[in-house]
Amino acid sequence: MSTQTLSALCSDLSLDVPAGLPSVAATEELARIARQLIFPGFFGCSEAVHCDGIEQFVCYGLQHFQRLLREQVCLVLCSEEKAEERSATIAENTAKALPALRKALSGDVKAIYDGDPAAHSMAEVVSCYPAVRALTNYRLAHCLHEQGVPLLPRILTEMAHRETGIDIHPACEIGANFSIDHGTGIVIGETCRIGNNVKLYQGVTLGARSFPLGEDGLPVKGIPRHPIIEDNVIIYSNATILGRITIGRSSVIGANVWITQDVAPGSRMAKT
């Protein structure tokens, strides 16, 4: 490579290279350990659960999880003052939140099992359903997002997106007993708010309708632009719901519909 080419490559970089980036391999390991702690015996090392005892297994896993998370958070916070101290606090808080995450995910698993006649046991749901992997990554990522951790939450959810085809932004809010059937092609945007007992089928998009532009001509970031889905809503396959609109509680949205306006509670929307 010529000196001129090297100089041009270095000078034409349009991205600001961050001071620290988390390790992809370590983040994958972090997600794997989280799944093992939340669902012991289901994701690898099942022999250890029975041979060493559940308490010893969880104790070792928690120590490994907290250490790994502290290291990765410290990398993304390295430009801040007291990054190590804050990283340790975040890792400890997240470890303490794992029982609550397990409770939330257990509700999701039960909702999937109750709503799918093809599921013969909740163990089958945990072991086989891609929604469990996507929701585990999402709920962990959302916990980190709520603590102000940059970048790492998005990497976690994009890992699940790559593996399952389910795209959930870590900043969105999802209530209890969330059910995803099949899942491939689902998109849930950054500012979505989803209530309790909501069920989505494959191909559903909860997206933005338009992007207000700032003075620089670029989309304004962070404003509410995705739907609000209230409690007890069912949305069937390939429905597209766009903009900051509300789908009222106990509504049923049929397959292949396109919705850009509020839907009253208890409605039945179908493509005609």
Side-chain angles (χ1 to χ4, degrees):
M1 181 183 293
S2 69
T3 303
Q4 184 177 6
T5 302
L6 180 60
S7 176
L9 284 171
C10 292
S11 63
D12 288 345
L13 287 174
S14 57
L15 294 175
D16 293 327
V17 180
L21 282 173
S23 160
V24 172
T27 307
E28 289 175 342
E29 175 74 356
L30 191 65
R32 185 185 68 81
I33 297 169
R35 286 194 295 270
Q36 289 183 347
L37 290 170
I38 291 169
F39 301 108
F42 283 92
F43 295 99
C45 298
S46 58
E47 299 84 359
V49 174
H50 300 293
C51 296
D52 299 335
I54 188 68
E55 290 187 5
Q56 184 174 340
F57 175 82
V58 170
C59 180
Y60 172 77
L62 274 173
Q63 291 174 352
H64 189 25
F65 175 85
Q66 197 165 327
R67 177 186 59 78
L68 198 59
L69 180 57
R70 183 179 67 249
E71 291 171 354
Q72 298 311 303
V73 171
C74 193
L75 283 172
V76 297
L77 297 181
C78 66
S79 61
E80 296 186 8
E81 291 186 11
K82 299 183 178 180
E84 291 188 5
E85 181 179 332
R86 187 176 169 215
S87 300
T89 300
I90 289 170
E92 183 178 358
N93 290 342
T94 306
K96 288 179 179 178
L98 286 177
L101 295 183
R102 182 180 184 184
K103 182 178 180 180
L105 286 159
S106 295
D108 299 333
V109 169
K110 188 175 187 305
I112 294 169
Y113 170 73
D114 289 346
D116 186 359
H120 297 288
S121 69
M122 285 192 281
E124 179 183 344
V125 172
V126 173
S127 300
C128 304
Y129 280 51
V132 174
R133 185 174 294 257
L135 288 171
T136 301
N137 280 36
Y138 157 73
R139 293 203 182 275
L140 174 60
H142 185 71
C143 179
L144 295 172
H145 170 81
E146 291 288 281
Q147 297 178 78
V149 178
L151 190 57
L152 189 59
R154 192 65 187 272
I155 293 175
L156 281 165
T157 55
E158 286 302 323
M159 283 177 176
H161 181 198
R162 182 184 68 221
E163 295 171 355
T164 67
I166 299 169
D167 183 1
I168 308 175
H169 195 285
C172 75
E173 299 176 16
I174 298 178
N177 309 322
F178 184 54
S179 175
I180 293 177
D181 199 340
H182 303 296
T184 305
I186 283 177
V187 176
I188 303 176
E190 177 188 19
T191 61
C192 272
R193 286 169 45 197
I194 298 175
N196 300 323
N197 308 309
V198 170
K199 183 173 187 176
L200 306 185
Y201 285 80
Q202 70 272 16
V204 168
T205 297
L206 305 178
R209 184 179 180 184
S210 60
F211 302 96
L213 303 181
E215 294 180 357
D216 56 3
L218 299 175
V220 178
K221 297 182 183 293
I223 62 173
R225 60 193 184 279
H226 298 99
I228 298 170
I229 312 297
E230 294 186 340
D231 296 347
N232 307 313
V233 170
I234 300 174
I235 306 176
Y236 283 95
S237 57
N238 299 312
T240 300
I241 302 172
L242 302 179
R244 192 58 164 187
I245 62 175
T246 298
I247 306 300
R249 61 183 296 115
S250 302
S251 292
V252 177
I253 308 301
N256 301 308
V257 298
W258 180 282
I259 298 176
T260 57
Q261 296 181 334
D262 290 343
V263 172
S267 297
R268 300 293 184 269
M269 305 292 292
K271 187 174 183 180
T272 57

